[in-house]
């Protein structure tokens, strides 16, 4: 069994490498925490106002001075740090459902992100290193 795999399968870490966030330096982690502290009250306000659509969330975060991510050929980042998207679909009983809400990914540094969401039931803001293939957003589960 791999070190750090807990009670998981023998190759858990290897098989799930793409689902694990990268490491953040101490300075980057501190900067990410500061940005999370700026975003949290905005999402709390939107949640209380029942405004969790992508357009409202994006507009509120742009008011903090963030710029939307711009991409070029092959998805290469050309500028900006903010990405606001709809929620990921999830399987319920016998079909997929896409809940109302918005997901937020903010690049703080190349090794640090703020990841958040706001939806009808709750909101959350956290910091993490980027994911290997999906940047600030946790990749969806595969089968």
């Amino acid at each position: 069994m791999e070190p750090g795999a807990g009670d998981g399968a023998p190759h858990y870490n290897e098989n799930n490498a793409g689902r694990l966030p990268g490491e953040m330096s101490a300075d980057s982690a501190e900067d990410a925490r500061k940005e999370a502290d700026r975003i949290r009250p905005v999402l709390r306000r939107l949640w209380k106002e029942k405004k969790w659509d992508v357009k409202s969330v994006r507009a509120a975060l742009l008011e903090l001075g963030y710029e939307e991510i711009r991409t070029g050929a092959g998805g290469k980042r050309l500028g900006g740090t903010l990405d606001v998207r709809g929620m990921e679909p999830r399987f319920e009983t016998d079909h997929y459902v896409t809940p109302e809400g918005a997901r937020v990914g903010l690049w703080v540094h190349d090794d640090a992100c703020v990841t958040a969401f706001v939806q009808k039931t709750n909101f959350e803001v956290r910091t993490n290193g980027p994911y290997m293939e999906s940047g600030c957003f946790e990749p969806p589960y595969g089968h």
Side-chain angles (χ1 to χ4, degrees):
M1 183 160 316
E2 294 177 72
D7 293 335
H11 297 283
Y12 178 85
N13 290 336
E14 178 184 332
N15 293 340
N16 289 284
R19 295 200 48 78
L20 301 174
E23 294 289 321
M24 289 188 282
S25 72
D27 288 344
S28 292
E30 176 64 16
D31 290 347
R33 186 193 59 75
K34 289 176 184 174
E35 295 304 324
D37 289 347
R38 291 183 69 214
I39 290 171
R40 189 172 291 104
V42 173
L43 295 186
R44 180 180 295 114
R45 175 180 55 82
L46 291 170
W47 181 69
K48 287 180 179 180
E49 294 173 356
K50 300 180 181 348
K51 293 181 182 178
W52 40 76
D53 61 284
V54 170
K55 185 177 177 182
S56 296
V57 173
R58 181 182 294 120
L61 294 176
L62 290 174
E63 287 178 14
L64 292 179
Y66 300 121
E67 290 183 42
E68 279 192 270
I69 288 178
R70 297 179 306 283
T71 56
K76 181 178 178 184
R77 277 183 28 217
L78 300 177
T81 58
L82 177 68
D83 192 356
V84 181
R85 303 178 184 179
M87 300 296 280
E88 282 286 332
R90 63 179 177 236
F91 195 77
E92 288 187 6
T93 312
D94 62 352
H95 63 285
Y96 281 92
V97 174
T98 302
E100 291 180 56
R103 298 179 297 146
V104 176
L106 177 73
W107 286 92
V108 179
H109 296 296
D110 286 343
D111 68 336
C113 296
V114 174
T115 306
F117 69 83
V118 59
Q119 60 185 3
K120 184 178 183 175
T121 54
N122 62 338
F123 72 95
E124 179 181 81
V125 180
R126 61 187 172 91
T127 62
N128 53 272
Y131 294 90
M132 193 181 314
E133 296 179 5
S134 55
C136 290
F137 292 107
E138 184 174 352
Y141 280 102
H143 295 285

